Amino acid sequence: MFEIAIRDDLKISQDEMIFIAGPCAVESEEQLVETAKFLSRLGVKILRGGAYKPRTSPDNFQGLGEAGLKILASAADQTGMAIVTEVMDTENIGIVSRYSDILQVGSRNSQNFPLLKKLGRQKKPVLLKRGFGNTVDEFINSSRYISRGGNRNIIMVERGIRTFETSTRFTLDVSAVPVIKEMVDYPVLIDPSHPAGKRQLVQPLALAGIGSGSDGLMVEVHPSPESALSDREQQLDFQQFEKLYRTSQSMFSFMRGQTFLEMEKRER
Ligand code: PEP
Ligand code: MN
């Protein structure tokens, strides 16, 4: 029965669906604040957005760095939302934790052991993404590098693995959710955006993730996805996000509140 204090006034636990949303990358104050206001009106409490971006090509947008962190802090100030953003490097832990409530380890850094060890020795919660080439066992071992340092405030995120399938960007491994939940008492979230690669696949993957027993979602949303500087094809616009938010909340309540067994009992 996990419970993680994100801030003094914000805890996450199994009782409520954990929803993290925001753009792939912080691009401007206007883009992020507009997104944060929209999300917080809906009831989303944790805002995502990369300031340091791990891009496959060095030619692509790399993020705004500290300027992006300041924009995240301003959006948090204006809405009361908590922030999660990626820390790519041991050198940046100090600066990222000055602005962010949760420190994100991306898929490409999931086995960066010096980074994991150092994050284990500080107090902020760590959101650990599964490496797209890692088994569940390797993923659990990555979390052990963090917990061994004393920090057990870990959020595990399944975000798709690389398989022979090319019709999606990655293959979302929903089987990982119940397997991980048997092994560790941490929240397990699904990121349906990165495996989908295309926005029309985000909702089916999100619902499959909730159906597999995940504790919540981490989803990319952008005020005008067609002009996004990264992951343009997979970010939802506000209307699509709102639909996903409401559908997934009701599926989550169904999963937690009314198991088939309970429904059967009532019918008898
Ligand atoms: C992200 O969530 O910003 C991200 C880069 O995802 P991943 O590390 O899973 O590729
Ligand atoms: Mn992205």
Side-chain angles (χ1 to χ4, degrees):
M1 296 293 269
F2 68 83
E3 186 177 270
I4 297 180
I6 304 296
R7 283 189 321 217
D8 292 345
D9 60 343
L10 178 62
K11 286 193 176 62
I12 55 173
S13 71
Q14 354 230 83
D15 302 337
E16 211 181 320
M17 182 170 177
I18 302 163
F19 224 113
I20 301 177
C24 178
V26 179
E27 298 170 1
S28 69
E29 171 110 22
E30 197 187 13
Q31 168 237 20
L32 195 73
V33 171
E34 189 186 342
T35 309
K37 286 186 173 163
F38 162 73
L39 291 172
S40 92
R41 270 198 301 271
L42 270 185
V44 179
K45 298 192 181 96
I46 307 175
L47 178 68
R48 64 150 288 143
Y52 298 91
K53 292 301 299 173
R55 303 306 301 285
T56 302
S57 164
D59 300 330
N60 291 341
F61 177 59
Q62 303 287 308
L64 298 178
E66 188 172 4
L69 296 175
K70 289 189 171 147
I71 294 173
L72 282 161
S74 159
D77 257 11
Q78 294 180 54
T79 58
M81 292 178 87
I83 297 295
V84 57
T85 196
E86 180 161 350
V87 53
M88 278 176 57
D89 193 306
T90 49
E91 276 174 29
N92 283 344
I93 293 177
I95 187 161
V96 174
S97 47
R98 224 171 293 143
Y99 296 96
S100 192
D101 302 291
I102 305 170
L103 306 179
Q104 175 173 338
V105 177
S107 189
R108 288 151 193 83
N109 261 325
S110 200
Q111 286 191 308
N112 180 338
F113 301 124
L115 180 63
L116 300 177
K117 282 185 190 166
K118 221 166 164 184
L119 289 171
R121 294 195 295 267
Q122 57 83 55
K123 294 213 157 55
K124 294 227 164 158
V126 178
L127 181 148
L128 177 65
K129 289 198 143 192
R130 179 178 177 182
F132 53 70
N134 287 160
T135 62
V136 168
D137 190 54
E138 287 163 339
F139 189 23
I140 299 284
N141 272 306
S142 292
S143 77
R144 293 179 62 231
Y145 270 95
I146 302 169
S147 60
R148 183 147 305 185
N151 187 353
R152 299 187 59 81
N153 294 322
I154 302 172
I155 302 166
M156 310 284 279
V157 181
E158 161 60 37
R159 48 78 71 212
I161 52 175
R162 185 149 281 163
T163 66
F164 54 79
E165 183 54 66
T166 53
S167 57
T168 47
R169 192 173 172 196
F170 296 93
T171 300
L172 181 67
D173 181 13
V174 285
S175 327
V177 175
V179 175
I180 297 167
K181 291 200 77 70
E182 272 189 6
M183 296 168 86
V184 286
D185 187 23
Y186 299 136
V188 181
L189 307 188
I190 287 288
D191 168 350
S193 302
H194 289 91
K198 298 179 198 129
R199 66 182 60 82
Q200 70 270 26
L201 299 181
V202 173
Q203 177 155 318
L205 297 193
L207 297 181
I210 295 167
S212 72
S214 81
D215 298 292
L217 298 174
M218 182 186 209
V219 178
E220 289 188 343
V221 52
H222 191 287
S224 50
E226 64 289 347
S227 65
L229 299 181
S230 57
D231 287 349
R232 192 172 293 165
E233 305 288 316
Q234 73 195 26
Q235 301 204 58
L236 302 182
D237 66 24
F238 288 177
Q239 208 185 353
Q240 291 159 337
F241 180 84
E242 184 161 349
K243 182 165 166 272
L244 168 69
Y245 182 75
R246 298 198 191 286
T247 314
S248 53
Q249 285 284 358
S250 60
M251 181 154 171
F252 183 85
S253 312
F254 172 77
M255 289 292 296
R256 293 296 155 102
Q258 297 182 298
T259 61
F260 285 114
L261 210 64
E262 280 168 345
M263 286 171 73
E264 254 180 27
K265 258 193 229 155
R266 229 181 308 128
E267 275 166 24
R268 259 190 252 130

